[in-house]
Amino acid sequence: MIYFDNSATSLHKPQTVYDAMDAAYRSEAYGNPSRGAYPQALDGLRALHKTRKKLSGFFGTKDPKKVALTSNVTTALNLVLNSILKPGDHVITTDQEHNSVLRPLYRMEDQGVSLDFLPLDEEGCVRISAFKNMIGPNTRAVVLNHGSNVTGALIDLREIGRYAKERDIICILDAAQTAGTRVIDVCDLGVDILCFTGHKSLYGPQGTGGIIMNVDLDSDPVFVGGSGFDSFNHLHPDLMPERFEYGTPNVVANIGLYEGISFIERTGLDRIEQHLNSLRRYFYASVRSIPGVRVYGPKKGCPVVSLNIGTRPSGEVAGILSDRFGICVRSGAHCAPRVHEHFGTQAQGMVRFSFGWTNNMQEIDRALEAIESLI
Amino acid sequence: MEVYGLISFQTTSQVVSSEDVLEDAGIPCRLIPLPPEIDTGCGLVCKVSLEDLDGAAKVIKEASIPYLGLYQVTLDEGVREVVKR
């Protein structure tokens, strides 16, 4: 089996992730955090703090209080968008967005939030030059997909981040596809709020993710309930990280996430980025030279390449790659409808190859051979 | 008779963050339940020696962790006296 669906989830985790989670469960050492002062409850609390501290260093905030742990990036984005946007606010976003941004925003549009979309150019890159002209007096936030889950196109953040900061516009970054594939320093990039998932390129388990809140904001909590303290208050705590955390968290999964990031740090993020870039560059250049293959997206990007073979439905191609060659890829619309509308692939979809640390050039050669055989 | 210091916080994440920075600073700290004499807090407090109380408060403040109060606790033959500093 060759696994090229790392944008969906990284199937192969570091051994230390498995070992730590297995040991954490079997030790019966982690109780419910914030729900007691006995050792097991305290160790649950300490385990979450350790993961927050690791994430705060990894994303450049250096302050664990700015990290809220959620169950995935969709939850993180919903919590952020629903807690800070109000009817009458204007939001600038992009045609590159995933439905985890689009659907919360579309729903808010029905409630009086106005939206503008930065368009894509011919290659599928966001035209950031349109940003300044879209800003209005009520522009509250700009929501940006850091790397497309369809084309791999990366957005140039620095200019938007700097410009947004000058105008008190909140810069929100969806780093679902980029966290763990390149250095992301929220302070350096001018990002106010970063939403990430833990189970893709951070090599943690599914059910992990979070919010890096690099700004002080008034917000209304979306979910309220048990926080483990201040029980007689009718209101949920409006402090980080509790503002975005409610109920019993998944301690063991977050222990796994800690180990996933530790693996990246041991391996070296630069080294991982170079490896992923090499795989992408080789696949992109090689597959484009196969007659009948159309590749979407720019030459450089995060480790995602999507294509089609002639007019064959993407699902049919993905099915053959799986059944005949044991190659796992994703087909269809990839939850990013505006990208497909841009390229006119609503019906055909796209066949997506996405790479991870454990992939190698030999696997890419086998994929290229498989694609050539389908022409 | 036992005399020690307590530091109370609004949230449990502030308590555990404080424990972490105190450990880095070499100040021994235990997390214990909030005594009923202290009317505000998250249910957990940092217990430190009385000699370390001011130093611990300084370390916590420098780490930008807000705390609610500092207390001196005297335990004498089962009777506990809690005085806010």
Side-chain angles (χ1 to χ4, degrees):
Chain A
M1 185 272 281
I2 297 175
Y3 188 75
F4 283 148
D5 202 15
N6 292 278
S7 283
T9 194
S10 51
L11 197 64
H12 309 300
K13 312 292 183 188
Q15 185 61 41
T16 46
V17 172
Y18 304 133
D19 291 345
M21 292 180 69
D22 185 60
Y25 264 125
R26 290 177 197 278
S27 66
E28 300 181 357
Y30 297 96
N32 197 330
S34 302
R35 270 71 173 176
Y38 53 92
Q40 290 79 2
L42 291 176
D43 281 344
L45 191 62
R46 289 177 182 125
L48 295 182
H49 172 71
K50 204 172 150 187
T51 301
R52 286 195 200 100
K53 191 176 175 183
K54 176 72 81 179
L55 286 160
S56 67
F58 191 77
F59 289 118
T61 65
K62 312 285 189 292
D63 185 352
K65 294 193 302 298
K66 294 181 176 175
V67 181
L69 301 170
T70 67
S71 54
N72 51 51
V73 70
T74 297
T75 305
L77 286 161
N78 267 270
L79 289 169
V80 166
L81 296 173
N82 282 289
S83 66
I84 65 169
L85 296 176
K86 304 277 184 303
D89 286 343
H90 171 240
V91 175
I92 300 171
T93 185
T94 82
D95 280 343
Q96 184 167 285
E97 301 307 307
H98 187 277
N99 269 339
S100 56
V101 165
L102 293 175
R103 284 178 172 163
L105 289 180
Y106 287 147
R107 188 168 63 175
M108 283 177 226
E109 192 175 28
D110 291 341
Q111 297 161 355
V113 170
S114 58
L115 307 177
D116 269 312
F117 292 86
L118 294 167
L120 304 181
D121 65 16
E122 284 178 7
E123 276 198 314
C125 296
V126 175
R127 288 184 196 273
I128 57 170
S129 57
F131 177 65
K132 290 178 186 175
N133 292 334
M134 287 181 177
I135 294 173
N138 58 339
T139 304
R140 171 87 166 135
V142 56
V143 189
L144 304 167
N145 179 314
H146 194 197
S148 168
N149 68 309
V150 184
T151 63
L154 290 161
I155 197 158
D156 184 3
L157 281 172
R158 283 175 208 272
E159 194 181 343
I160 290 186
R162 193 172 53 242
Y163 205 76
K165 201 157 283 300
E166 285 170 11
R167 282 153 184 78
D168 285 334
I169 297 168
I170 305 161
C171 182
I172 302 167
L173 189 69
D174 171 5
Q177 294 300 331
T178 51
T181 70
R182 61 197 57 246
V183 173
I184 299 176
D185 184 315
V186 288
C187 298
D188 187 38
L189 294 173
V191 172
D192 293 314
I193 305 172
L194 179 136
C195 297
F196 66 92
T197 192
H199 69 100
K200 298 182 195 281
S201 296
L202 293 179
Y203 300 108
Q206 293 173 0
T208 57
I211 299 163
I212 309 291
M213 198 75 174
N214 196 33
V215 65
D216 290 325
L217 283 177
D218 289 332
S219 64
D220 294 327
V222 176
F223 286 98
V224 296
S227 56
F229 59 89
D230 204 13
S231 297
F232 294 97
N233 192 338
H234 287 201
L235 303 176
H236 194 85
D238 189 21
L239 292 163
M240 280 295 289
E242 288 81 6
R243 176 191 297 167
F244 295 122
E245 295 182 356
Y246 39 85
T248 302
N250 192 336
V251 174
V252 173
N254 279 294
I255 287 172
L257 176 58
Y258 175 91
E259 291 298 333
I261 298 167
S262 298
F263 167 80
I264 293 170
E265 290 172 340
R266 280 196 307 276
T267 306
L269 189 49
D270 288 348
R271 197 172 146 218
I272 290 173
E273 183 179 355
Q274 280 171 21
H275 178 65
L276 296 174
N277 284 344
S278 300
L279 295 172
R280 187 188 195 277
R281 198 181 309 119
Y282 178 52
F283 181 73
Y284 184 93
S286 305
V287 82
R288 265 169 73 100
S289 67
I290 300 172
V293 173
R294 181 180 178 194
V295 179
Y296 305 91
K299 194 174 171 185
K300 288 185 178 176
C302 63
V304 179
V305 178
S306 288
L307 55 86
N308 273 315
I309 299 176
T311 57
R312 295 177 81 158
S314 62
E316 180 187 305
V317 173
I320 295 170
L321 289 173
S322 173
D323 295 346
R324 201 183 297 170
F325 301 97
I327 296 172
C328 304
V329 293
R330 184 177 167 180
S331 59
H334 308 279
C335 306
R338 298 176 81 96
V339 174
H340 289 278
E341 285 162 5
H342 176 75
F343 286 110
T345 53
Q346 297 96 314
Q348 188 179 16
M350 293 184 196
V351 186
R352 183 184 71 182
F353 294 74
S354 53
F355 311 116
W357 171 248
T358 56
N359 289 129
N360 57 50
M361 294 296 185
Q362 291 74 31
E363 290 176 323
I364 289 188
D365 281 335
R366 284 173 61 188
L368 292 168
E369 287 167 20
I371 292 166
E372 277 184 326
S373 76
L374 296 180
I375 302 299
Chain B
M1 187 173 76
E2 187 189 4
V3 184
Y4 54 87
L6 290 181
I7 309 167
S8 69
F9 299 87
Q10 196 173 354
T11 72
T12 51
S13 58
Q14 291 167 358
V15 177
V16 75
S17 295
S18 298
E19 180 190 45
D20 190 19
V21 295
L22 290 176
E23 189 183 323
D24 287 347
I27 297 176
C29 156
R30 266 192 70 199
L31 305 187
I32 64 167
L34 178 78
E37 292 88 346
I38 301 175
D39 57 1
T40 55
C42 62
L44 289 173
V45 287
C46 282
K47 177 183 176 184
V48 296
S49 72
L50 193 61
E51 297 74 48
D52 282 336
L53 185 58
D54 290 331
K58 187 167 176 277
V59 167
I60 291 167
K61 204 173 175 183
E62 282 171 358
S64 304
I65 304 167
Y67 58 81
L68 292 174
L70 306 178
Y71 300 86
Q72 178 177 328
V73 180
T74 307
L75 197 59
D76 190 9
E77 294 181 355
V79 179
R80 184 167 53 197
E81 185 189 37
V82 179
V83 179
K84 187 166 187 182
R85 293 274 294 269

